[in-house]
Amino acid sequence: MRNYKLLLSSFAVLLTFNSFAQKDLKEYESYIDQAVKDFELPGLAISIVHNDEVKYQEAFGFENEPKKTPLKTESIFGIASLSKAFTATSVAMLVDDGKLDWDDKVQKHLKGFTLSDEYVASQLTIEDLLCHRSGFGTFDGDLLWYGTDFTREEIVQKFSKYEMTYDFRTDYGYQNIMFIIAGEVVEEVSGMTWDAFVEQRIFKPLAMSNSYTSISQYTKKTSIAMPHVKGELDDLRNYDNSGGAAALSSNVEDLSKWIKFWLNNGIVGEDTLLNAGTHRKLLTLHTSIPPSSFDRRNGIEFKGYAQGWFLMDYDGDKVAHHGGGLPGFISKIFLVPSQNLGGIILTNGETSLPTALMYKSIDEFKENDLETDWAATYLDYKKRYEAYLAKKVEDREVKRDASLKSNIEQDLLVGTYLDKVYGEAEVRKEGGDLVFSMIGSKEIFTSKMTHWQQNTYEIEFKDKFLPKGYLTFNVNANGEVVNLKVDLPNPDFHFYKLDFIRQN
């Protein structure tokens, strides 16, 4: 009888524990569900891996909001810069194979490779490509791949004329072009494209059967989380030319396997895909980043970039993480190796909720008794930032003096213009309107020109990801148009660095 009572007692304790765990999970799920509504996201998928098991995996909202197509955990999202860790891993595998060395000069493997600073070009190493210390600023050169028909090879060649922002290896500058170059190195050294290498050396052994290097690989059966730009359904966009920087797409099911790979030190089953030392190197700080005031308020004392991963400390643990962002897609992946914990958050909208849920998930699965409401904190930032942008637009409208007429006849603006890095743009007449196009990306960067004031015209590109912009034409002493400048304020693309010189 005693044993029977003991058994009943133990069973009751077990039921209580499971009920408590389930209650916590429901609260966590309720928190996410409410946050998705508060941020007005079309859809969000999340997966948490802890102690080599998927502890939580769920999808919220819709693949296609207008059609109310439910989002699933197998739904495919563009993962943007989460691609960078796959590129860094590909390079690391070639180092393990003995085909590359971290200190190899890029010019050793890419014949003809150069930069605007020939000395930097001669000294740039494989390692430099992967840790954002090249001397170029954050997002420098991204207009070469975004929406263009330039190939990866053409992008690398065009970037060779781009002026450096910092001294070499002195400052952090987040660089997509360097990762495109790294992908080209993978191709040259391995004898297969970056795409094929990722598929054969990473996707296949990890059984990531629903991950893609191109949207051209989708079929009618593919469950696609459609992008939503500024809350509206957008078309799928092809980012093949971004290669090693941002081309991949996947889902939370496959990316949970990727997380396990990292938490298991590069080992999958009985196979060691990355040597222990190589695995450690990829998660070792290479380029420091000063913590922000937000970081310091939340106990974050160090930040930096490894190779394909950001690093920081949070609540006494080292955290490796990375965000991904493209029009209609924002994502976040994180690893807390000391806690054997990791997670992936994918969305088909454009908010900071994935980062908020990274912090929330770490707190939840470490059972931290912290009071920070991360979703509310980031929602407040979102609202304040939107108000800031609206105020900037309002201020510009106030300062406008539409009575200031252009002193250049419209017919004199028509012609071809050339930026030494990007290439050609044109101003043409269509009916009675002037139209501006950036030729390499004319499908999205084309707009009717509306007079704003003096020799400045307002433009609004077909790409709704970007705000309205302005073209200003400059003349010489003879009244001849010599160039045009693009003023299109946004945090992602450096239109202000373009200088289109009149050609004819």
Side-chain angles (χ1 to χ4, degrees), residues 7 87 111 122 129 185 187 220 332 354 370 458 473 482:
L7 181 62
T87 300
K111 306 304 180 186
S122 71
L129 292 176
V185 171
E187 177 172 347
K220 291 182 179 179
K332 192 74 173 183
L370 300 179
E458 186 180 67
F473 294 83
V482 293

Side-chain angles (χ1 to χ4, degrees), residues 64 80 87 119 186 189 317 319 333 344 368 418 499:
N64 183 317
T87 300
Y119 173 77
V186 169
V189 173
D317 292 305
V319 178
I333 191 169
I344 175 67
N368 286 340
L418 183 71
D499 187 9

Side-chain angles (χ1 to χ4, degrees), residues 107 110-115 160:
Q107 288 185 340
L110 291 184
K111 306 304 180 186
F113 171 77
T114 190
L115 296 170
S160 67

